[in-house]
Amino acid sequence: MLLEELLKRNLISKEGYNKVFEELKSSQKSEEKILIQNDLIDSVKLLQIKSEILNAPIFKDISELEIPEQVLSVIPEESAKYYKMVPLKLNNGIFEVGMINPQDIKAKEVLLFLSRQNKLELKVYLISESEFEDVLKKYRDIKEVVGEALNELEGDSEANMVVLDEDAKVNNGELDDDAPIIKMVAALLRHGVEAKASDVHIEPTTTEVKIRFRVDGLLNDSLKIPLATHSAIIARIKILSRLRIDETRIPQDGRFSTRIDNKEIDFRVSTFPTKLGEKVAIRILDPTEGLRTYKEIGLSENNLEILKEQINKPYGMILSTGPTGSGKTTTLYAILQQLNQPDVNIVTLEDPIEYFVSGVNQSQIRPEIGYTFAKGLRSVVRQDPDVIMVGEIRDEESANLATHAALTGHIVLSTIHTNNAIGVVSRLVDMKIRPFLIPASLNIAIGQRLARKLCPYCMEKVEIIPKVEKMMISELSKIKKEIRDKLNIPSKLCIYKSKGCPKCNNKGEKGRIGIFEILSMNKELEKIIIENPTESALVVEASRQGMVTMRQDAILKALEGKISMEEVLRVTEGEQL
């Protein structure tokens, strides 16, 4: 209904309508979420349209609203999640509620029951999905939950021993939270997922246990708990991951899955012995966060055009490169989703399988039993694949097999560790790939980094320092003229900064975006690789063919208000291109 109305009002194109319609069939996302994630309509405008369609008032300034615990308690958390409604205000017997769909009959019946039970007058407002999710988080304060668990522990000296029971694993795919330590671990994991953290670190110090969450690439101190709980927490995590509880002298790796907020979340666990006890790092793999479109990861129109041209070729390698945590795997998954068609056989070799993609044959590498990338590649080519994804080219053997798979008529997607796209050529040469094979097997090299996005709610224009402006003009002038003309660079340069607001927890930044450069194979590059593959010669050719470097791409994103100039310099510092 919403989608049809937007099309009828010419607020989205027919192409945009079809895109949303197709994504609705293949994902569990709502119309609203898909529309906003694909930048098809502004979130404020969308809420106004919904308000007109549903004839419901919009609740203003929800981001600045403080909701006391007694107000939240009127609608239990489980009911709030199930019926997509949250309490907002309670003043003088008037109970104000926010709903994603104020016309939901079952939800309204529950609200009427609650209002009669508590003798309250009801007022219903329309809120967006993002506002609904923000209010839901207010139900759970991690410090309060952990504090309650600690109080329970103090009251029962044997409570922490519950975690040593081998049966205390994930029940029915959900975390059991009856015992204090189990409740504490569940709260840490839940908070990590809701904060969109990529990692949770549990570290013993001389006096306490430090809990840190990595959000948008930054590791933040979040919580400190008594040192006496350390061994019990580690034991609980080991049990969930099926690791040895009695082994504390060597590192161990494991994983487990559980449902949090109706999502199946994977956790990758790594233990590490230190002088003060075992440190644990937990990687959070949320499937709804990892599978993104080209636009969501930050590919510009120019780079997207190059990528689409290359993935339509019948064979060849597409390599994504950058440091650890630069979004390489997310980029490969975005390409996989594009290639995933009924008439295409896709086989992947991953360590680990981070996100499950329907229609793709994904295989987990297990080096401990001899199932390596190299061994897997030998088997994969006998599976009649059209597309092969190899998690990482790590050594000479996997590099050699991936190259030959590309030469024998397969599209090969993989990651490789270098500083930039240019470095892929020399890295392959270092891995003993003969130079004359590289041009025939390599289609493109994608260099990338992740930059922190400015919060769109508190973003404002700022004056450019002359020195920075000079650098920006110098970098942009290096872009080939015909490419520069297509980029619509404004004549007057403007940059932006966010001051911080409740929407971004006063950080000024919210989420991350990719910064890219793409080096394409051509006749001139082929000649250089075969005759004299020096970095300086490759840089000159990359510039001649019109490659937009990571620094230039970052500056263009700064001009669009997506990132700050400080972030441009941080992410691309040392880039020579």
Side-chain angles (χ1 to χ4, degrees):
M1 182 176 160
L2 175 62
L3 206 53
E4 281 77 9
E5 187 65 27
L6 292 173
L7 183 64
K8 185 179 169 184
R9 298 188 187 197
N10 293 319
L11 292 171
I12 59 168
S13 64
K14 185 66 178 174
E15 183 186 358
Y17 175 90
N18 292 334
K19 182 181 177 66
V20 176
F21 193 74
E22 286 303 312
E23 199 167 333
L24 276 171
K25 291 193 290 186
S26 60
S27 76
Q28 295 181 333
K29 296 177 186 175
S30 66
E31 287 175 315
E32 182 177 333
K33 191 159 279 187
I34 296 169
L35 283 161
I36 291 168
Q37 284 181 346
N38 287 283
D39 290 333
L40 293 171
I41 188 169
D42 175 70
S43 58
V44 176
K45 182 69 176 172
L46 183 62
L47 198 61
Q48 288 171 346
I49 300 297
K50 280 184 72 177
S51 173
E52 291 170 21
I53 295 170
L54 301 173
N55 193 27
I58 297 170
F59 193 91
K60 307 284 187 186
D61 302 321
I62 198 168
S63 61
E64 297 171 12
L65 187 66
E66 289 291 331
I67 307 174
E69 192 177 336
Q70 62 266 31
V71 176
L72 288 170
S73 65
V74 178
I75 301 178
E77 185 185 355
E78 288 306 313
S79 297
K81 283 194 289 188
Y82 185 79
Y83 293 107
K84 303 279 194 256
M85 60 186 188
V86 285
L88 300 173
K89 280 185 178 180
L90 180 54
N91 282 322
N92 300 321
I94 299 171
F95 184 38
E96 298 181 33
V97 178
M99 296 179 71
I100 290 177
N101 180 13
Q103 289 188 341
D104 186 326
I105 294 169
K106 287 186 179 179
K108 286 175 85 170
E109 284 174 357
V110 171
L111 272 181
L112 288 169
F113 171 77
L114 289 171
S115 63
R116 282 196 297 266
Q117 191 180 45
N118 294 283
K119 298 179 181 176
L120 299 170
E121 184 185 332
L122 196 61
K123 276 193 178 180
V124 176
Y125 293 90
L126 175 69
I127 59 173
S128 68
E129 286 194 19
S130 61
E131 288 170 336
F132 168 74
E133 287 165 5
D134 287 342
V135 176
L136 265 188
K137 290 173 187 174
K138 296 180 188 289
Y139 274 98
R140 272 183 240 92
D141 184 298
I142 186 171
K143 290 181 180 177
E144 287 180 16
V145 176
V146 171
E148 288 172 11
L150 287 171
N151 289 336
E152 286 182 46
L153 274 175
E154 287 173 10
D156 184 357
S157 60
E158 293 183 3
N160 61 343
M161 296 306 292
V162 175
V163 297
L164 299 180
D165 179 4
E166 274 295 334
D167 294 327
K169 295 188 174 68
V170 178
N171 297 323
N172 299 319
E174 297 200 12
L175 289 170
D176 182 7
D177 60 356
D178 292 336
I181 288 294
I182 295 175
K183 190 183 291 184
M184 203 180 298
V185 171
L188 295 177
L189 298 178
R190 183 182 290 275
H191 179 76
V193 172
E194 291 179 347
K196 292 183 169 35
S198 59
D199 302 87
V200 182
H201 291 250
I202 301 170
E203 307 167 356
T205 68
T206 52
T207 56
E208 61 204 358
V209 179
K210 190 163 60 174
I211 312 293
R212 299 196 288 173
F213 295 90
R214 188 179 294 281
V215 180
D216 294 339
L218 288 178
L219 203 55
N220 303 302
D221 277 352
S222 296
L223 196 64
K224 290 174 182 174
I225 54 180
L227 194 59
T229 63
H230 175 253
S231 59
I233 287 172
I234 301 301
R236 171 62 180 163
I237 292 168
K238 282 184 171 181
I239 286 169
L240 289 171
S241 315
R242 301 179 187 273
L243 300 178
R244 286 185 59 186
I245 298 172
D246 59 339
E247 182 55 82
T248 60
R249 300 162 301 170
I250 60 172
Q252 296 185 69
D253 293 309
R255 66 185 299 164
F256 64 94
S257 299
T258 186
R259 291 191 70 79
I260 293 179
D261 293 338
N262 294 318
K263 292 188 292 187
E264 190 73 27
I265 309 292
D266 276 353
F267 297 92
R268 235 164 66 196
V269 176
S270 172
T271 69
F272 185 75
T274 73
K275 184 180 178 181
L276 299 172
E278 283 184 288
K279 174 189 181 300
V280 169
I282 305 172
R283 169 64 54 89
I284 300 172
L285 302 171
D286 183 344
T288 59
E289 292 298 312
L291 297 177
R292 298 175 181 269
T293 63
Y294 290 142
K295 195 159 191 174
E296 287 171 336
I297 64 176
L299 274 170
S300 65
E301 288 298 324
N302 180 61
N303 282 333
L304 185 53
E305 196 178 303
I306 297 167
L307 179 60
K308 283 183 174 177
E309 181 187 335
Q310 296 299 326
I311 65 173
N312 286 328
K313 289 185 175 179
Y315 60 88
M317 283 195 294
I318 296 169
L319 299 182
S320 178
T321 186
T324 301
S326 60
K328 299 187 296 295
T329 304
T330 302
T331 300
L332 292 189
Y333 273 108
I335 298 170
L336 266 190
Q337 289 179 93
Q338 191 72 25
L339 293 170
N340 188 14
Q341 303 296 330
D343 59 342
V344 177
N345 180 25
I346 303 175
V347 184
T348 75
L349 298 167
E350 303 174 60
D351 184 22
I353 297 171
E354 295 196 12
Y355 308 105
F356 292 99
V357 183
S358 178
V360 175
N361 305 290
Q362 297 173 268
S363 183
Q364 167 77 52
I365 293 301
R366 300 193 182 278
E368 68 275 11
I369 58 170
Y371 183 34
T372 61
F373 280 124
K375 190 166 185 179
L377 266 167
R378 288 195 188 91
S379 299
V380 160
V381 293
R382 294 193 288 272
Q383 286 290 316
D384 185 32
D386 299 297
V387 179
I388 301 169
M389 187 180 101
V390 185
E392 184 184 346
I393 292 178
R394 292 180 176 174
D395 49 37
E396 291 177 19
E397 191 177 10
S398 58
N400 186 53
L401 287 164
T403 302
H404 281 86
L407 289 170
T408 53
H410 306 93
I411 292 176
V412 178
L413 309 176
S414 192
T415 67
I416 192 167
H417 283 285
T418 67
N419 288 329
N420 51 35
I422 295 288
V424 168
V425 174
S426 53
R427 184 78 179 110
L428 289 173
V429 172
D430 286 344
M431 288 181 163
K432 302 294 187 292
I433 302 300
R434 286 175 287 184
F436 73 87
L437 291 176
I438 295 173
S441 58
L442 180 64
N443 288 355
I444 53 169
I446 306 168
Q448 66 181 91
R449 299 282 191 280
L450 283 177
R452 293 189 286 273
K453 289 167 67 178
L454 287 172
C455 173
Y457 301 99
C458 57
M459 181 179 73
E460 57 188 18
K461 282 185 184 179
V462 293
E463 195 174 332
I464 308 177
I465 301 167
K467 183 181 175 184
V468 173
E469 186 174 23
K470 186 179 176 183
M471 180 275 288
M472 292 171 74
I473 293 168
S474 171
E475 282 293 335
L476 294 174
S477 66
K478 294 175 188 175
I479 301 173
K480 200 173 181 181
K481 188 178 184 306
E482 53 259 44
I483 303 292
R484 196 165 63 239
D485 291 343
K486 288 196 294 184
L487 294 172
N488 297 319
I489 300 169
S491 54
K492 181 171 173 54
L493 303 184
C494 296
I495 60 172
Y496 302 80
K497 200 165 186 176
S498 295
K499 57 187 177 182
C501 67
K503 286 273 188 183
C504 59
N505 292 324
N506 296 310
K507 292 178 182 177
E509 293 162 332
K510 192 177 178 71
R512 289 190 291 175
I513 192 169
I515 306 299
F516 296 92
E517 63 183 21
I518 298 182
L519 179 68
S520 296
M521 190 57 61
N522 59 18
K523 292 288 182 186
E524 291 78 8
L525 194 59
E526 179 180 349
K527 188 178 178 185
I528 292 168
I529 292 170
I530 293 170
E531 293 178 0
N532 182 31
T534 62
E535 186 169 331
S536 57
L538 293 168
V539 167
V540 170
E541 171 51 30
S543 178
R544 192 204 64 77
Q545 72 171 235
M547 183 180 85
V548 177
T549 67
M550 279 189 276
R551 172 161 282 199
Q552 291 161 354
D553 190 43
I555 290 170
L556 291 168
K557 285 182 169 70
L559 292 174
E560 293 171 9
K562 291 178 179 174
I563 63 175
S564 66
M565 272 310 295
E566 288 84 357
E567 194 67 358
V568 170
L569 298 172
R570 184 189 74 82
V571 171
T572 65
E573 195 62 50
E575 290 293 328
Q576 298 301 310
L577 299 179

